[in-house]
Amino acid sequence: MVMHDEAATHYIDMIDQTTLGHQFLKNEFGVIPRVGWQIDPFGHSAVQAYLLGAEVGFDSLFFARIDYQDREKRMAEKSLEVVWQGSKSLGATAQIFTGAFWQGNYEPPDGFHFEVNDDSPVVQDDPTLFDYNVEDRVNAFVAAAISQANVTRTNHIMWTMGTDFKYQYAHTWFRQMDKLIHYVNLDGRVNALYSTASMYTDAKYAAQESWPTKTADFFPYADRINAYWTGYFTSRPTLKRYVREMSGYYMAARQLEYFIGRSKSGPNNNALADALAIAQHHDAVTGTEKQHVANDYAKRLSIGYQEAETVVASSFGCLTQSSPAFGCQNPTTKFQQATHMKPFPCPLMNISYCPASETNLSHGKNLIVVVYNPLGWKREDIIRIPVKNEDVVVRDSEGREIESQILPISDVQLGISNFHVAAYLGITVRDAPKYWLAFAASVPPLGFSTYTVNGVKGMSSFFILTKQGKKSVEVSYGFYPGFNGTDKDTQASGAYVFRPNGTYVMQSKGKIQSTVMRGPLIDEVHQQINSWISQITRLYKNKEYVEVEYTVGPIPVEDGFGKEVVAKLSTGMHSNKTFYTDSNGRDFIERIRDYRSDWNLQVNQPVAGNYYPTNLGIYLHDDTNEFSVLVDRSVGGSSILDGQIELMLHRRLLKDDGRGVAEALNETVCAQDKCMGLIAQGKFYFKIDRLGEGAKWRRSFGQQLYSPLLLAFSEQDDDNWLNTHIPTFSGMDSSYSLPENVAMITLQELDDGNILLRLAHLYEVGEDKDLSSKANVELKRLFPLKKIGKVMETNLSANQEREEMEKKRLVWKSQGSSAQASKVTRGGPIDPAELIVELGPMEIRTLLIEFSHKSDGVFDA
């Protein structure tokens, strides 16, 4: 649907939006694309190469932007065109021919721009006129072609002819191109023709050249000295979080829609799918758009959510009915939905505002909480919801009282809550909840459990200690002042570019007072770092990781300098300049500070030049331990010092960086007759493991972060809920769960009634001693109440059969990789009788499943 970004996007979103676009092309035009055209994103990911390139069936991938130092070396070596093997696990079986444009942009050579207001000389071929210039224009064209040919292998070059905002009057372009092609071919030194990227690909393949091999990715990207495009990894952090929340919600909403049967006429999840697809654009989730455009992206997501919410409500109402096998036409229970972490329709749950959970329980009412697990494994987690009563008890699906905990909401949090409720909803809160209720939930795979909250007398369960200081992994905060530019050096820090004013971070001064809360489920430490940065550190019962919830902002700019706020997590590890960041939430790639494997890096920005996109997490290790940090949205991450991980959490800048936004990245929020800088609230998580054992937490907990538990609330005036509703449910065989190294990333009913299923192996080759092995998924137990009639494996975007894609795939020759394909582990064909899907490390298999008869939902067998 869009030319998605490759740094701030999650691989599931990339797959979903690509699938939506490919289905549109096939349905409307009967076309199956075979070339990737990513000409504008600001650096390029390994996942784009092997997953959104080779695995969707592309034969080639083209783009413009690679680091200026890298481009200079590749031009000298004629290695702008390569065979890119983006996956260590899939190697040559998922390689793709890749070309980077020689000028570093996607424009024509100088002198060949033909918009009506461009100043390139047109071809004047009337010899009776004084400005007749056919010979001059042909010579200039041939010179430009030869310049490009001198840095390109084979005798074919791609001459790009256009750029942003061009062809508004297309006639001026085509008239000149017609003339150039005609007269250049009459000259005979070069042959020019109208072409396509597919034709160019075929010409390159026919040359039977052996191409240089590229691995890893093309991050970070600088287009000139002191201009690293690493700021956008963090820009507009709250929009990035909203996109991630909606992505996880969309996954769950599709599952729930499948359970009750899809309605073509609505309501359905289409609007949310469209909004999420558009939000993956390389000037959307990146935060590199004007403010009013960012507002539009958020508005579209909100509109899409509202329709999807109706689908989710209908599904919960159906699935909890006492006799669901008789159909879901008129569910009697009305639900309000929310997702754990930042619930819906409680988008302000992070600031403790959720009317759905704020039932007054002092008059005999009960709050029913249905907890849905979109993952294919049983899950145990802590639920936190705001409540007005501190004296409550929680009961599970069988009516047994379970352990719970009440935590107070601080005055600072209440102040932030009241301001933002007024800003976003136009509501003045008069009776805000004063407590968080926490309880432990156990939820079956692809299913739900029900919990009842009752009011009781005298049940508060927290106490507070105050102390100075804190030990363990050291978490500190600071900021880089943004460079504003000068008359001689105009490159400022902005929405795209991260350019700190110096290489230092200003640390907080003095001792920080800590408020400690202890309880049976959660221990919390509340700290006010300074007047605009605070954090809550949490330890959960029976969990070995630490959760840090930060609140940053409003970032002060009264001193005339923008600020780029970072958290630093310091350990004593000797990490030898080496750390690892994820590629779009999928593969992890080794990074070495001040080093590039493809060229000899000239270091001019020792901080910005070592930042990398981080969607899932970042880790480092020494000889005995691993230190991992996971994030809840796209951020910029690095390790500027050994043993230390750095995350950029928020940015507020006062200058434009000159890359097209034409607006400073200065987000504000207005309400109650005042405006202030945007406050960003979020979470990161960290854990220390023995060397070689950290992947299990990164992969399993990372999947939980992407797919939070989904909550639905209902009020009841009596205690009869468990007798009149189904309290627990699993869409899978009750004794089955997915292997712990496999995730179900798509379960969706299509318009034709078939089911789109994607299964993803979560581990790379060698990443874990046990879980990097092959895994099997039993489809019969995945769909226990259905009779599977046909299973067809497709390419990743589901627009062609996998077998057909493999038959027509071009097999490129590459240097030094002839033996790699034989070492790759992939799953075998699916036996139509056994219906077992086998997956090798990092493999994603996409299936179209047809049941033996069309159904109205999950329940008719």
Side-chain angles (χ1 to χ4, degrees):
M1 292 296 283
V2 299
M3 187 185 294
H4 56 223
D5 180 55
E6 299 180 36
T9 45
H10 192 276
Y11 77 95
I12 295 178
D13 289 325
M14 297 165 80
I15 293 170
D16 285 341
Q17 85 85 15
T18 301
T19 299
L20 205 60
H22 284 191
Q23 293 299 326
F24 175 84
L25 291 175
K26 186 174 183 179
N27 294 338
E28 294 294 322
F29 305 110
V31 169
I32 296 176
R34 51 184 291 252
V35 174
W37 191 250
Q38 290 287 111
I39 59 174
D40 203 17
F42 331 120
H44 302 278
S45 74
V47 158
Q48 177 64 38
Y50 84 86
L51 200 60
L52 279 303
E55 291 293 287
V56 300
F58 288 168
D59 286 317
S60 59
L61 168 65
F62 297 100
F63 47 70
R65 301 185 186 274
I66 63 173
D67 188 279
Y68 72 100
Q69 295 182 34
D70 190 12
R71 181 165 54 88
E72 290 172 1
K73 182 172 184 286
R74 291 183 181 280
M75 289 174 67
E77 296 176 347
K78 292 190 175 183
S79 61
L80 287 166
E81 294 174 326
V82 297
V83 169
W84 190 358
Q85 296 178 2
S87 170
K88 299 186 293 288
S89 301
L90 299 179
T93 69
Q95 68 183 20
I96 189 167
F97 178 77
T98 304
F101 300 157
W102 74 298
Q103 296 185 112
N105 57 48
Y106 40 88
E107 299 188 8
D110 290 343
F112 293 92
H113 293 74
F114 297 119
E115 199 67 30
V116 288
N117 59 344
D118 285 336
D119 56 7
S120 296
V122 300
V123 178
Q124 177 53 266
D125 55 355
D126 185 342
T128 66
L129 298 178
F130 294 137
D131 59 346
Y132 176 80
N133 64 356
V134 169
E135 184 176 356
D136 289 344
R137 292 276 68 201
V138 167
N139 286 339
F141 187 100
V142 171
I146 291 174
S147 293
Q148 185 173 350
N150 287 338
V151 298
T152 309
R153 301 187 187 203
T154 81
N155 61 343
H156 298 281
I157 65 169
M158 180 186 290
W159 179 298
T160 53
M161 205 64 187
T163 187
D164 294 0
F165 312 117
K166 302 303 181 181
Y167 291 84
Q168 297 183 54
Y169 185 57
H171 177 74
T172 62
W173 286 87
F174 285 105
R175 180 172 174 79
Q176 297 308 310
M177 286 189 285
D178 286 347
K179 289 185 177 184
L180 285 169
I181 290 172
H182 174 71
Y183 290 112
V184 164
N185 289 343
L186 282 179
D187 175 83
R189 284 175 287 174
V190 301
N191 182 63
L193 70 155
Y194 285 116
S195 185
T196 66
S198 292
M199 293 169 62
Y200 180 77
T201 299
D202 289 338
K204 287 288 184 176
Y205 182 74
Q208 289 297 295
E209 180 84 11
S210 183
W211 300 94
T213 302
K214 163 68 181 173
T215 58
D217 61 10
F218 287 92
F219 285 117
Y221 162 64
D223 60 349
R224 65 194 70 163
I225 192 171
N226 297 324
Y228 278 95
W229 296 42
T230 54
Y232 81 95
F233 301 161
T234 298
S235 296
R236 301 195 187 277
T238 57
L239 177 64
K240 284 177 164 64
R241 177 59 187 162
Y242 193 29
V243 171
R244 182 64 56 83
E245 287 173 342
M246 290 290 94
S247 178
Y249 187 86
Y250 176 54
M251 171 186 281
R254 283 183 288 177
Q255 296 173 1
L256 291 165
E257 182 180 51
Y258 153 74
F259 289 143
I260 62 171
R262 175 175 171 79
S263 171
K264 294 181 182 179
S265 59
N268 53 45
N269 295 312
N270 291 0
L272 182 55
D274 287 342
L276 271 170
I278 294 169
Q280 308 312 314
H281 186 274
H282 59 274
D283 280 317
V285 68
T286 52
T288 54
E289 64 276 73
K290 290 180 183 290
Q291 185 62 57
H292 74 276
V293 181
N295 295 342
D296 185 74
Y297 288 128
K299 183 176 182 178
R300 290 175 185 273
L301 287 169
S302 178
I303 292 170
Y305 163 73
Q306 290 173 15
E307 184 172 355
E309 177 197 12
T310 306
V311 176
V312 171
S314 297
S315 181
F316 276 128
C318 165
L319 296 174
T320 57
Q321 284 182 184
S322 58
S323 301
F326 294 104
C328 298
Q329 306 309 312
N330 297 294
T332 57
T333 304
K334 302 299 182 184
F335 278 101
Q336 302 177 75
Q337 286 70 51
T339 58
H340 182 41
M341 292 197 179
K342 285 194 178 179
F344 298 88
C346 304
L348 302 181
M349 175 75 90
N350 62 321
I351 52 170
S352 70
Y353 180 77
C354 181
S357 71
E358 294 167 20
T359 301
N360 191 330
L361 302 176
S362 61
H363 302 295
K365 286 186 177 293
N366 296 321
L367 177 65
I368 306 301
V369 185
V370 175
V371 183
Y372 177 73
N373 173 19
L375 297 180
W377 324 303
K378 181 182 177 181
R379 186 164 168 186
E380 296 182 349
D381 208 344
I382 302 296
I383 304 296
R384 295 172 70 247
I385 58 176
V387 294
K388 291 184 176 178
N389 304 74
E390 62 176 303
D391 300 329
V392 297
V393 65
V394 183
R395 290 184 169 85
D396 65 13
S397 299
E398 297 182 3
R400 296 172 301 201
E401 182 177 340
I402 63 172
E403 201 160 42
S404 62
Q405 181 178 347
I406 287 288
L407 298 104
I409 298 173
S410 70
D411 291 339
V412 173
Q413 287 176 304
L414 286 175
I416 291 175
S417 174
N418 293 341
F419 178 84
H420 286 87
V421 170
Y424 294 131
L425 301 180
I427 296 173
T428 299
V429 179
R430 305 195 184 279
D431 184 21
K434 296 180 174 59
Y435 310 101
W436 289 104
L437 168 64
F439 61 91
S442 179
V443 194
L446 213 66
F448 63 76
S449 296
T450 304
Y451 296 86
T452 306
V453 183
N454 310 105
V456 294
K457 294 294 183 182
M459 282 291 296
S460 60
S461 61
F462 65 87
F463 63 91
I464 298 174
L465 299 173
T466 301
K467 67 176 185 179
Q468 298 288 337
K470 183 172 77 75
K471 280 288 184 183
S472 69
V473 173
E474 180 185 345
V475 180
S476 60
Y477 295 84
F479 62 83
Y480 295 100
F483 188 73
N484 285 338
T486 66
D487 291 339
K488 293 183 179 180
D489 186 356
T490 59
Q491 183 58 67
S493 201
Y496 297 93
V497 173
F498 171 33
R499 188 179 184 187
N501 190 3
T503 59
Y504 60 94
V505 176
M506 297 177 65
Q507 302 286 355
S508 302
K509 296 180 180 179
K511 291 186 176 180
I512 299 170
Q513 184 169 332
S514 301
T515 300
V516 181
M517 301 181 190
R518 300 189 187 277
L521 298 177
I522 307 172
D523 292 342
E524 290 189 347
V525 180
H526 294 236
Q527 296 171 303
Q528 190 71 40
I529 309 301
N530 61 20
S531 62
W532 50 277
I533 300 177
S534 63
Q535 73 172 16
I536 301 173
T537 305
R538 293 190 183 95
L539 294 173
Y540 293 94
K541 180 182 179 181
N542 298 326
K543 305 289 185 182
E544 295 183 352
Y545 63 86
V546 177
E547 174 185 298
V548 177
E549 180 177 335
Y550 59 85
T551 302
V552 176
I555 297 174
V557 293
E558 293 78 13
D559 59 0
F561 288 94
K563 296 171 182 64
E564 321 207 30
V565 182
V566 297
K568 294 188 171 188
L569 294 88
S570 302
T571 72
M573 294 185 185
H574 300 287
S575 51
N576 194 28
K577 294 187 175 182
T578 304
F579 57 104
Y580 303 81
T581 62
D582 67 274
S583 178
N584 304 110
R586 196 84 178 122
D587 309 64
F588 277 90
I589 298 177
E590 182 183 74
R591 314 298 190 183
I592 300 176
R593 191 164 60 249
D594 296 334
Y595 173 80
R596 302 292 187 268
S597 60
D598 290 344
W599 77 94
N600 293 323
L601 176 67
Q602 301 299 307
V603 178
N604 53 67
Q605 285 290 319
V607 175
N610 285 301
Y611 257 68
Y612 291 87
T614 305
N615 280 277
L616 169 59
I618 178 172
Y619 74 94
L620 50 78
H621 65 78
D622 59 14
D623 293 337
T624 56
N625 295 307
E626 296 180 22
F627 176 54
S628 305
V629 182
L630 301 186
V631 295
D632 67 348
R633 71 198 73 188
S634 166
V635 299
S638 187
S639 177
I640 303 300
L641 299 175
D642 275 5
Q644 183 183 83
I645 285 176
E646 178 171 311
L647 302 174
M648 184 178 289
L649 305 178
H650 196 2
R651 316 177 73 218
R652 187 182 184 189
L653 299 163
L654 303 180
K655 300 293 183 179
D656 176 61
D657 55 16
R659 294 305 188 277
V661 184
E663 185 177 285
L665 183 67
N666 186 5
E667 298 177 276
T668 58
V669 178
C670 299
Q672 301 172 336
D673 299 322
K674 69 175 181 179
C675 295
M676 63 182 188
L678 179 73
I679 295 176
Q681 193 169 65
K683 297 177 183 177
F684 55 82
Y685 310 80
F686 63 85
K687 187 173 186 285
I688 295 177
D689 292 281
R690 300 294 296 173
L691 183 65
E693 298 177 5
K696 186 173 183 179
W697 180 70
R698 292 191 294 269
R699 294 301 185 180
S700 59
F701 187 67
Q703 206 63 31
Q704 293 180 39
L705 292 180
Y706 177 80
S707 297
L709 293 170
L710 187 71
L711 308 185
F713 300 101
S714 184
E715 286 184 18
Q716 292 290 303
D717 293 323
D718 53 45
D719 294 322
N720 202 34
W721 172 274
L722 297 181
N723 297 325
T724 57
H725 295 79
I726 292 179
T728 62
F729 162 82
S730 177
M732 298 162 57
D733 186 304
S734 61
S735 62
Y736 185 67
S737 64
L738 290 181
E740 60 180 312
N741 53 1
V742 174
M744 179 192 299
I745 62 172
T746 308
L747 175 60
Q748 178 180 0
E749 182 177 338
L750 304 177
D751 285 338
D752 61 6
N754 290 335
I755 303 302
L756 177 63
L757 175 70
R758 287 193 185 92
L759 300 167
H761 198 299
L762 296 176
Y763 290 77
E764 299 178 64
V765 165
E767 190 174 13
D768 184 90
K769 61 184 178 63
D770 300 315
L771 297 172
S772 290
S773 57
K774 276 188 178 181
N776 292 330
V777 174
E778 300 177 46
L779 295 183
K780 292 178 182 178
R781 301 181 73 186
L782 204 57
F783 303 100
L785 298 178
K786 298 284 191 178
K787 183 173 176 56
I788 297 174
K790 180 181 178 183
V791 176
M792 180 177 74
E793 184 170 10
T794 71
N795 67 326
L796 188 68
S797 58
N799 66 350
Q800 57 187 308
E801 289 191 44
R802 176 92 194 188
E803 185 177 5
E804 289 300 311
M805 181 197 82
E806 295 287 1
K807 286 180 181 178
K808 61 186 181 183
R809 184 201 295 270
L810 299 183
V811 179
W812 297 85
K813 295 179 180 179
S814 61
Q815 298 167 359
S817 62
S818 58
Q820 291 185 13
S822 61
K823 299 178 182 178
V824 171
T825 301
R826 282 186 180 264
I830 301 170
D831 186 299
E834 296 296 325
L835 294 176
I836 294 177
V837 182
E838 187 180 46
L839 296 103
M842 277 290 108
E843 189 173 18
I844 297 178
R845 301 191 73 170
T846 304
L847 309 175
L848 286 177
I849 299 176
E850 182 179 330
F851 296 124
S852 59
H853 67 281
K854 304 301 181 186
S855 68
D856 296 322
V858 72
F859 295 106
D860 46 275

